[in-house]
Amino acid sequence: MNAIAMNGLSFNFYRELAMTLVWYIGSLSLMLSLFVFVIRPKIAIPEMEKADFRTQIEIAKFIHTRKSQVAFGNEKNWKYLRKQVFRIQGKKCLKCGIEHENMHIDHIKPQSIHTHLEFMIDNLQVLCPTCNKEKSNKEETDYRKSHHLMALVNTIKENKLLRERYTYDFEKLTRITKEKMKFELAA
């Protein structure tokens, strides 16, 4: 006698159990698909919440594809990044050159649009409060000079924490640095 018959359970029992599980899992996935793609879009959602939901989906897709290059932070992370940016770029406004007692760290690509870049050091620059307000969240102007970018590239190379958690695209940063250097030398 085989082992299944010895336990008192027949092959048909296991086959029916497997068929039931397949049917149950299939039904659950069908219901989930209907909710996500048919029912959920028809539920009235305020526009702001729709945009937030789309942003969350985009972030989730991004995290899934490039998990190691996105770090969500907190106040402690922000203080660390702020200190690093001031150390690299100085405490003068990169646009107007004025030093103010309450300098801002500006997101080159606005965090309201690019939430996944909020804690990325290669997206930060020092601006005075006036220049930061003028720039607002509609512009993506980078006021950093080539020497700021070179210092940032070197710091990222030396600092494993910055390289692994707080740098979005090191290759792009290196390319921008070279382009700015060529432009500044030609001028």
Side-chain angles (χ1 to χ4, degrees):
M1 290 189 106
N2 64 25
I4 296 174
M6 287 175 50
N7 289 337
L9 300 174
S10 67
F11 176 74
N12 289 335
F13 171 78
Y14 286 111
R15 191 181 77 177
E16 286 185 31
L17 180 65
M19 296 290 284
T20 304
L21 285 173
V22 167
W23 177 83
Y24 182 71
I25 292 169
S27 298
L28 282 176
S29 64
L30 176 65
M31 288 188 297
L32 181 63
S33 298
L34 282 172
F35 179 76
V36 170
F37 297 109
V38 178
I39 298 169
R40 170 91 167 122
K42 291 181 182 177
I43 297 172
I45 302 172
E47 283 303 311
M48 189 64 179
E49 194 175 319
K50 276 185 184 177
D52 188 46
F53 182 68
R54 281 190 212 107
T55 302
Q56 290 174 359
I57 290 173
E58 291 302 314
I59 290 171
K61 286 179 187 174
F62 184 81
I63 290 171
H64 181 70
T65 56
R66 290 184 61 176
K67 193 179 250 178
S68 66
Q69 296 206 7
V70 176
F72 295 99
N74 55 29
E75 187 178 338
K76 184 179 176 185
N77 301 115
W78 181 248
K79 286 181 181 179
Y80 172 74
L81 282 173
R82 183 176 168 84
K83 181 180 170 185
Q84 292 295 320
V85 171
F86 281 132
R87 189 179 64 71
I88 294 166
Q89 297 178 9
K91 295 201 177 199
K92 288 186 178 180
C93 178
L94 297 180
K95 181 179 179 188
C96 67
I98 295 174
E99 188 171 342
H100 190 274
E101 65 183 54
N102 187 22
M103 296 301 286
H104 290 191
I105 300 295
D106 172 61
H107 292 85
I108 297 163
K109 291 184 181 282
Q111 74 182 64
S112 59
I113 300 168
H114 304 277
T115 55
H116 61 286
L117 299 176
E118 182 179 2
F119 292 96
M120 298 296 137
I121 195 164
D122 47 340
N123 187 45
L124 302 175
Q125 63 185 347
V126 177
L127 294 180
C128 67
T130 307
C131 292
N132 195 18
K133 286 177 187 168
E134 284 175 11
K135 181 180 171 280
S136 75
N137 67 345
K138 292 167 183 57
E139 291 181 41
E140 294 186 6
T141 309
D142 184 353
Y143 295 107
R144 299 173 296 184
K145 303 288 185 216
S146 63
H147 64 277
H148 297 122
L149 294 170
M150 283 301 297
L152 179 59
V153 166
N154 291 333
T155 303
I156 290 171
K157 283 181 182 177
E158 295 169 1
N159 188 326
K160 186 176 179 182
L161 179 63
L162 283 178
R163 186 172 57 247
E164 291 181 1
R165 287 198 63 195
Y166 301 110
T167 303
Y168 179 68
D169 192 340
F170 186 71
E171 287 78 26
K172 184 176 180 180
L173 176 65
T174 307
R175 190 173 60 253
I176 290 170
T177 304
K178 289 176 183 176
E179 289 170 6
K180 279 208 177 197
M181 191 175 291
K182 286 179 186 176
F183 178 76
E184 288 174 8
L185 289 173

